[in-house]
């Protein structure tokens, strides 16, 4: 069977779809639902439960269940369920295996190939972890597709003759993404993407539960440790209350006892929609920076956006739509089901791989979600400091792409250079993600300053080729960094997991004002486009050099220049950060 499925592996719910002559279609699970809760549990008999059953088990036996594990993909986090430890990859593979089984039941044949979606802001390790989860589940992952890109594909599938600029606002249960997409001549071109991998409806639910506990003189953290059954029940109640408050002005939340039971004469509180909106306001504020980054990187204004499209279950909350309207100056819409649209887009992408007749004319481009570069050193005063990041491919560059830059030797007769490849948005590599290394050998002994060209080539499958050319000799060296090659689970670990699843520091500064200014600058640096970044980097270099030289006049002069720039560029004064009265 040549069928390729599209999978939305979500934080709270997952879905699987396939391509038909009439467009993408969702595949129902064993319960007849298009959505499968991303919850895994082990019951008293030692059987693995996935989906709705596991979600129900979680209320009474939270120690036997795991959820929201998508947020920990690519990390060392583990969950202990019924005495057994599971990695996020293993838990995700169980969800994927369940979706695969649903598809196989639907098609009455084996399914081995899939397109799986991830948040646009997932880093390299998180993407590798998702690939590993697919392998453990018995799937060959044709493509890791960004979720907002998938949603845009679903919207663009029936509108290939239109020319529009779409902003995809994707707020799901656990992650937030935003992408700007141009649709023209049967082409869907992603211009920029941004987001947060830990932001979503789960945070709203936990905030509501925390406020309810506060009214009863309890803290969420302490209650979770001392009365886990009470908290697991309360979270379920608050999830329902959150949904009701999307259509009602107030609702009643009953308070479980310490055993998680709801007594007839038990405590209860009334929560209004206004209260809920006030409580989650600080969380919603975090959506503004990714929106600003996308507009900044794409070099467009909010007035140039034709449509704003809502994706993800959390966008059903009126306060979210209201905030998006205030931010972008136009009301958003969701003509397709916000819980299903990502899976539908993944199915269209799967159809492209399968050369399905209904999508053979469609062209989809994407962007690099993170900046890629190498570690370099800088001369600051009389001191040379290492640990600085030199971008080679900037975030939101259309891929595939090939770009190069020149580095030089630092010492006389230096014959080797160790290139350390990083991914991230920070000015210093300690805050970025190390992807791999390439040792450049055979540099002719000579004075310092011998040149080496470093070229990065990045393709749609997330494969990064790093090539180094010694200019004097034209000798080339290269390495390929794939989502399989560095970090995450090794092939042996994946194979073992398959069997198991089948069986079941910073430089000190002399005063706090300087520390504050540098930290503020580091924050703003990550929010800027590449041109502005270069200017800010020079200002920061000047300020750091003045501090290193302890030259009071130079410090004051460079401080003023740096502060002036930050006051102009700081998001705190950007119009996107202003609340409409």
């Amino acid at each position: 069977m040549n069928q390729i499925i599209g999978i939305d592996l979500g934080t709270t719910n997952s879905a699987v779809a396939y391509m038909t002559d009439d467009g993408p279609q969702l595949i129902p699970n064993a319960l007849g639902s298009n959505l499968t809760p991303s919850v895994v549990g082990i019951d008293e008999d030692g059987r693995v439960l996935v989906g709705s059953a596991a979600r129900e088990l979680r209320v009474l036996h939270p120690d036997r269940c795991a959820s929201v594990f998508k947020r920990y993909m690519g990390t060392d986090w583990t969950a202990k369920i019924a005495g057994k430890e599971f990695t996020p990859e293993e838990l995700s593979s169980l969800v994927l295996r369940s979706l695969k089984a649903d598809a196989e039941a639907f098609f009455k044949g084996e399914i081995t190939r899939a397109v799986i979606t991830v948040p646009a802001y997932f880093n390299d390790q998180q993407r590798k972890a998702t690939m590993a989860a697919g392998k453990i589940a018995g799937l060959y992952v044709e493509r890791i597709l960004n979720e907002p890109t998938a949603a845009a594909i679903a919207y663009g599938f029936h509108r290939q003759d239109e020319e529009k600029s779409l902003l995809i606002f994707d707020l799901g249960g656990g992650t937030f993404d935003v992408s700007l997409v141009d649709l023209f001549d049967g082409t869907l071109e992603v211009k920029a993407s941004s987001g947060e991998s830990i932001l979503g409806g789960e945070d709203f639910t936990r905030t509501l539960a925390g406020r309810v506990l506060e009214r009863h003189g309890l803290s969420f953290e302490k209650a979770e440790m001392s009365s886990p059954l009470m908290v697991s029940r309360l979270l379920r109640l608050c999830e329902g209350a959150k949904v009701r408050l999307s259509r009602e002005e107030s609702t009643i939340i009953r308070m479980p006892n310490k055993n998680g039971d709801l007594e007839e004469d038990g405590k209860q509180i009334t929560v209004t929609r206004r209260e809920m909106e006030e409580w989650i306001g600080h969380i919603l504020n975090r959506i503004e920076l990714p929106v600003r980054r996308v507009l900044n990187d794409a070099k467009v204004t909010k007035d140039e956006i034709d449509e704003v499209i809502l994706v993800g279950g959390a966008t059903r909350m009126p306060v979210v739509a209201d905030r998006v309207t205030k931010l972008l100056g136009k009301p958003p819409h969701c003509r397709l089901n916000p819980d299903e649209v990502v899976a539908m887009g993944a199915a269209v992408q799967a159809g492209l791989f399968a050369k399905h007749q209904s999508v053979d004319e469609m062209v989809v481009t994407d962007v690099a979600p993170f900046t890629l570069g190498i570690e370099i050193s800088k001369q600051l005063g009389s001191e040379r400091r290492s640990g600085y990041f030199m971008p080679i491919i900037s975030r939101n560059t259309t891929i595939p792409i090939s770009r190069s830059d020149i580095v030089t030797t630092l010492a006389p007769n230096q014959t080797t250079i160790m290139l350390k490849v990083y991914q991230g948005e920070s000015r210093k590599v300690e805050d970025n993600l190390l992807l791999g290394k390439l040792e450049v050998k055979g540099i002719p002994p000579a004075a310092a300053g011998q040149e080496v060209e470093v070229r990065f080539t990045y393709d749609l499958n997330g494969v990064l080729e790093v090539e180094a050319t010694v200019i004097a000799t034209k000798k080339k060296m290269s390495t390929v960094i794939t989502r399989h090659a560095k970090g995450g689970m090794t092939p042996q670990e994946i194979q073992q997991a398959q069997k198991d699843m089948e069986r079941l520091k910073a430089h000190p500064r002399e005063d706090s004002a300087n520390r504050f200014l540098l930290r503020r600058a580091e924050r703003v640096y990550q929010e800027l486009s590449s041109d502005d970044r270069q200017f800010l980097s020079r200002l920061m270099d000047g300020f750091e050099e003045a501090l290193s030289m302890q030259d009071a006049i130079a410090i004051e002069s460079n401080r003023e220049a740096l502060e002036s720039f930050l006051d102009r560029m700081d998001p705190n004064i950007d119009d996107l950060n202003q609340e409409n009265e």
Side-chain angles (χ1 to χ4, degrees):
M1 178 179 289
N2 191 41
Q3 185 67 52
I4 308 176
I5 55 175
I7 295 177
D8 173 13
L9 182 60
T11 306
T12 53
N13 289 295
S14 296
V16 57
Y18 72 107
M19 198 65 200
T20 76
D21 291 340
D22 297 322
Q25 297 291 326
L26 273 290
I27 297 173
N29 59 26
L31 301 179
S33 174
N34 289 338
L35 299 179
T36 297
S38 302
V39 185
V40 174
I42 298 179
D43 65 16
E44 294 85 345
D45 296 326
R47 293 178 298 183
V48 174
L49 301 176
V50 176
S52 298
R55 186 173 61 184
E56 293 298 326
L57 182 69
R58 182 182 59 183
V59 178
L60 298 177
H61 299 282
D63 60 315
R64 290 187 166 274
C65 296
S67 59
V68 201
F69 38 82
K70 176 179 174 178
R71 286 184 165 182
Y72 306 103
M73 293 288 277
T75 73
D76 294 330
W77 177 91
T78 59
K80 196 167 188 178
I81 309 176
K84 299 179 181 179
E85 284 201 351
F86 293 86
T87 66
E89 293 91 337
E90 290 170 334
L91 293 168
S92 295
S93 75
L94 291 170
V95 176
L96 290 172
R97 192 172 72 176
S98 177
L99 297 173
K100 177 177 182 285
D102 291 333
E104 289 175 336
F106 183 85
F107 288 111
K108 296 180 173 57
E110 186 179 16
I111 300 292
T112 59
R113 303 164 68 193
V115 170
I116 303 178
T117 64
V118 296
Y121 219 53
F122 255 26
N123 64 31
D124 185 77
Q125 289 181 345
Q126 292 167 310
R127 292 166 188 262
K128 288 175 185 173
T130 305
M131 298 279 283
K135 284 188 175 182
I136 295 169
L139 291 168
Y140 176 78
V141 183
E142 295 279 354
R143 175 71 54 85
I144 292 294
L145 182 66
N146 290 338
E147 289 167 4
T149 302
I153 290 172
Y155 272 92
F157 174 71
H158 293 297
R159 306 166 65 183
Q160 298 184 41
D161 57 340
E162 296 185 19
E163 291 190 11
K164 286 195 172 185
S165 178
L166 312 177
L167 186 135
I168 311 298
F169 184 96
D170 183 357
L171 184 63
T175 60
F176 168 59
D177 286 303
V178 57
S179 286
L180 188 68
V181 177
D182 281 353
L183 190 66
F184 60 93
D185 296 333
T187 299
L188 191 150
E189 180 180 3
V190 181
K191 305 295 289 185
S193 290
S194 187
E196 283 200 38
S197 57
I198 302 181
L199 174 61
E202 291 283 340
D203 300 291
F204 302 152
T205 301
R206 292 177 71 88
T207 296
L208 177 56
R211 292 290 186 156
V212 172
L213 288 168
E214 281 180 16
R215 290 194 177 183
H216 292 89
L218 301 169
S219 73
F220 191 96
E221 293 76 14
K222 290 182 179 179
E224 197 168 28
M225 292 180 62
S226 62
S227 306
L229 293 174
M230 176 181 69
V231 173
S232 63
R233 172 75 76 173
L234 181 60
L235 284 170
R236 180 65 179 268
L237 295 171
C238 287
E239 177 66 30
K242 181 185 70 176
V243 173
R244 292 194 299 274
L245 287 173
S246 293
R247 58 179 185 268
E248 302 169 7
E249 292 299 322
S250 67
T251 190
I252 294 173
I253 302 176
R254 299 173 66 186
M255 183 68 187
N257 63 23
K258 64 180 182 179
N259 297 318
D261 297 324
L262 293 172
E263 300 170 338
E264 289 187 14
D265 57 348
K267 300 175 182 178
Q268 61 183 35
I269 67 169
T270 298
V271 177
T272 67
R273 180 188 293 179
R274 181 180 293 275
E275 285 176 319
M276 174 72 175
E277 292 175 353
E278 290 176 353
W279 294 341
I280 67 171
H282 69 288
I283 302 174
L284 269 181
N285 288 341
R286 290 161 55 195
I287 70 174
E288 300 180 12
L289 174 57
V291 172
R292 181 169 50 251
R293 279 178 174 165
V294 162
L295 297 183
N296 206 16
D297 288 353
K299 295 179 173 58
V300 302
T301 67
K302 56 188 179 183
D303 295 331
E304 295 176 275
I305 300 170
D306 295 312
E307 292 183 31
V308 179
I309 295 171
L310 298 180
V311 177
T315 60
R316 288 191 170 92
M317 299 176 65
V319 66
V320 174
D322 291 344
R323 182 67 70 93
V324 173
T325 301
K326 290 177 181 178
L327 272 172
L328 296 165
K330 51 179 61 70
H333 65 82
C334 49
R335 290 192 297 270
L336 299 176
N337 187 316
D339 290 311
E340 301 176 354
V341 64
V342 171
M344 293 169 66
V348 177
Q349 180 69 70
L352 285 168
F353 280 111
K355 301 186 182 338
H356 197 282
Q357 59 184 8
S358 62
V359 292
D360 58 358
E361 298 293 325
M362 194 173 189
V363 177
V364 180
T365 74
D366 215 327
V367 294
F370 285 86
T371 298
L372 299 166
I374 60 174
E375 179 183 4
I376 61 169
S377 62
K378 292 186 177 184
Q379 188 73 38
L380 301 175
S382 60
E383 182 182 357
R384 178 167 289 281
R385 298 181 190 172
S386 61
Y388 289 88
F389 183 55
M390 184 180 83
I392 294 180
I393 295 177
S394 296
R395 72 168 187 240
N396 286 322
T397 299
T398 300
I399 54 177
I401 185 69
S402 182
R403 286 187 178 170
S404 66
D405 210 331
I406 299 292
V407 297
T408 62
T409 58
L410 300 176
N413 299 317
Q414 180 179 343
T415 59
T416 65
I417 291 177
M418 178 61 75
L419 296 177
K420 295 181 180 179
V421 181
Y422 286 85
Q423 166 187 287
E425 309 307 323
S426 178
R427 181 169 163 262
K428 295 184 178 180
V429 297
E430 63 185 5
D431 298 318
N432 292 333
L433 176 67
L434 178 64
L435 299 181
K437 300 177 183 180
L438 173 63
E439 186 175 11
V440 183
K441 300 178 181 179
I443 302 173
Q450 298 304 301
E451 295 184 334
V452 173
E453 181 188 50
V454 180
R455 177 172 293 279
F456 280 16
T457 303
Y458 191 72
D459 71 10
L460 285 166
N461 286 313
V463 177
L464 173 63
E465 180 185 25
V466 180
E467 181 183 79
T469 304
V470 180
I471 300 299
T473 64
K474 307 301 181 185
K475 181 180 179 180
K476 296 180 184 290
M477 285 138 282
S478 66
T479 186
V480 175
I481 299 173
T482 72
R483 290 174 184 157
H484 311 272
K486 184 70 179 175
M489 302 178 73
T490 66
Q492 294 77 17
E493 289 172 333
I494 292 174
Q495 190 174 47
Q496 183 60 48
Q498 287 176 314
K499 294 179 180 177
D500 292 343
M501 291 302 101
E502 286 172 0
R503 294 191 303 263
L504 236 109
K505 246 172 220 263
H507 186 76
R509 297 299 178 204
E510 47 271 12
D511 59 64
S512 59
N514 291 337
R515 288 199 298 270
F516 168 75
L517 186 58
L518 284 169
R519 289 184 179 184
R520 180 186 180 198
E522 294 283 2
R523 171 178 60 81
V524 174
Y525 179 88
Q526 298 189 28
E527 304 167 7
L528 300 177
S529 60
S530 56
D531 292 341
D532 290 327
R533 280 186 175 189
Q534 294 176 16
F535 187 76
L536 177 55
S537 183
R538 291 194 293 269
L539 291 175
M540 295 174 71
D541 289 346
F543 186 54
E544 287 189 320
E545 182 175 1
L547 289 172
S548 177
M549 296 172 63
Q550 297 187 6
D551 183 333
I553 296 176
I555 290 173
E556 186 62 26
S557 173
N558 281 278
R559 178 193 288 120
E560 289 178 359
L562 182 55
E563 285 181 334
S564 176
F565 180 86
L566 292 175
D567 287 341
R568 286 189 288 110
M569 305 302 292
D570 195 343
N572 290 333
I573 60 170
D574 191 285
D575 65 341
L576 284 178
N577 209 30
Q578 301 299 312
E579 289 288 339
N580 294 332
E581 298 297 325

